[in-house]
Amino acid sequence: MIEVSGEKLLSWRRKQLEYGGSQKELDWLLDMSANLKWEHLQKVYLDPNKSCFISHPLHLVSCIWKTYLSTKEPLQYLVGRCPWRDFELEINSSALIPRQETERIVDLALDKFDSNFDGIWADLGTGSGALAISLARNFPKANGHAVDCCKDVLDLAERNLKHLAPNSFVELHLGDWWEPINPWWGELNLVVANPPYIPSRLISKLEKKVKNFEPHLALSGGLDGLFSLRKIIEYSIKGLSKNGWLIVEHHYDQSETVCNLMSSVGLKDVDFSLDFENVRRFSIGRRPID
């Protein structure tokens, strides 16, 4: 660890913000790249005579900051890490950066099953493995399946699972949605998915750091944004066990359509749930017993 005086750190911070960006982004970078937590930074604010410790020199942090400001490449990719829920993921540009709102899928799953759940779950389109890791950690007795259509992404998810849920029972599968877990169709008690759902016409209107760097395969849901959601919902009645639950994330204006799709294939107890900003972001449905 490197000791830095409070005055030097605050002077460095002011200079970096003169180049651009926000305080929130810079403080996040200090945390992720130099292991300077907010509580330690706050002590320096209150008393600049105090010192603090960082894991990487400030000039290296400056290089990352300047790259971010000039290219708009997401800080998560530049650092190679992303905090999510109660852990930190390895992340790279092959996979979508996990959003905080997606954490709600885990909360919704925990509403349906407790920690003694010993059935089978699946995460369709696992990406970096965020949802799969959370399910594995919260349901240690269950068996899980993480699916993705991209080998590089699946390799990333595998590394994250080995690091963050090393004792879990999770199999990884390369393929399209339900197809690679066909042998378990009819046995899946819980299936979650955060598929690409942004209408293709809107991709060009996204922020530069999203449209220029995050994989479009994980963003674009086709003309109306529902291409992948239709596939997932269509096969849910075959893939889920009786009384098995499907939980999906979707675009802010797709709730009614997605709920109707769920009802049309025979799912029951169909409902929506809100994200942290009270937007109808998730839809839930259950395969009936009969």
Side-chain angles (χ1 to χ4, degrees):
M1 298 294 282
I2 304 165
E3 185 174 7
V4 180
S5 71
E7 288 184 355
K8 180 179 179 180
L9 177 65
L10 294 177
S11 175
W12 174 90
R13 187 174 177 275
R14 285 192 295 270
K15 186 172 183 61
Q16 302 312 305
L17 290 172
E18 287 175 4
Y19 298 135
S22 70
Q23 293 183 19
K24 183 178 179 180
E25 292 169 326
L26 183 57
D27 291 346
W28 185 95
L29 179 59
L30 280 168
D31 184 354
M32 288 295 102
S33 66
N35 199 32
L36 181 63
K37 302 301 179 185
W38 168 246
E39 55 266 29
H40 299 302
L41 185 58
Q42 194 172 37
K43 289 178 181 178
V44 171
Y45 284 142
L46 296 174
D47 184 359
N49 292 316
K50 287 184 177 291
S51 294
C52 59
F53 292 88
I54 55 177
S55 59
H56 287 81
L58 289 176
H59 73 268
L60 294 181
V61 182
S62 296
C63 290
I64 298 173
W65 184 243
K66 289 177 181 178
T67 299
Y68 167 67
L69 293 177
S70 63
T71 67
K72 295 304 179 184
E73 181 174 358
L75 288 171
Q76 292 92 331
Y77 289 154
L78 292 170
V79 174
R81 295 159 63 200
C82 178
W84 197 81
R85 208 166 173 89
D86 56 346
F87 49 82
E88 286 183 8
L89 293 153
E90 176 189 342
I91 193 73
N92 61 46
S93 59
S94 69
L96 197 72
I97 296 169
R99 269 59 170 181
Q100 185 181 16
E101 63 205 20
T102 306
E103 295 180 12
R104 280 286 296 136
I105 291 180
V106 180
D107 297 329
L108 294 170
L110 292 171
D111 286 342
K112 303 300 179 186
F113 301 93
D114 62 28
S115 60
N116 290 315
F117 171 54
D118 60 359
I120 305 175
W121 58 261
D123 174 20
L124 305 184
T126 194
S128 60
L131 285 172
I133 291 162
S134 275
L135 294 179
R137 288 160 66 120
N138 281 285
F139 303 132
K141 298 179 182 179
N143 291 300
H145 299 273
V147 178
D148 207 282
C149 66
C150 175
K151 187 179 184 306
D152 288 344
V153 170
L154 210 61
D155 289 343
L156 175 64
E158 183 176 24
R159 292 195 299 273
N160 278 322
L161 277 159
K162 284 181 177 179
H163 177 61
L164 295 165
N167 300 316
S168 61
F169 304 101
V170 182
E171 294 185 53
L172 292 102
H173 306 270
L174 181 64
D176 188 55
W177 306 122
W178 295 94
E179 182 271 327
I181 54 173
N182 181 281
W184 293 273
W185 281 16
E187 301 176 21
L188 296 161
N189 309 105
L190 169 67
V191 174
V192 300
N194 177 23
Y197 54 69
I198 299 175
S200 54
R201 70 183 184 280
L202 299 180
I203 297 295
S204 63
K205 299 178 182 179
L206 297 173
E207 291 180 276
K208 285 184 180 180
K209 63 183 179 181
V210 177
K211 68 181 180 182
N212 291 349
F213 293 98
E214 297 200 63
H216 287 200
L217 182 65
L219 291 170
S220 177
L223 288 177
D224 62 357
L226 296 167
F227 179 79
S228 296
L229 282 160
R230 286 194 183 92
K231 279 189 173 183
I232 293 167
I233 294 169
E234 178 184 357
Y235 288 95
S236 63
I237 205 71
K238 295 179 180 179
L240 290 170
S241 66
K242 292 179 180 179
N243 270 337
W245 289 91
L246 174 67
I247 305 172
V248 299
E249 182 173 330
H250 48 69
H251 207 225
Y252 70 90
D253 58 355
Q254 294 170 344
S255 178
E256 184 176 356
T257 302
V258 172
C259 285
N260 287 339
L261 285 170
M262 284 185 166
S263 296
S264 70
V265 300
L267 295 183
K268 302 298 182 183
D269 297 328
V270 173
D271 202 357
F272 66 86
S273 187
L274 306 176
D275 64 16
F276 297 120
E277 298 190 4
N278 292 321
V279 173
R280 291 172 58 160
R281 180 73 64 178
F282 311 95
S283 292
I284 309 165
R286 175 185 63 84
R287 179 184 167 183
I289 294 176
D290 299 315

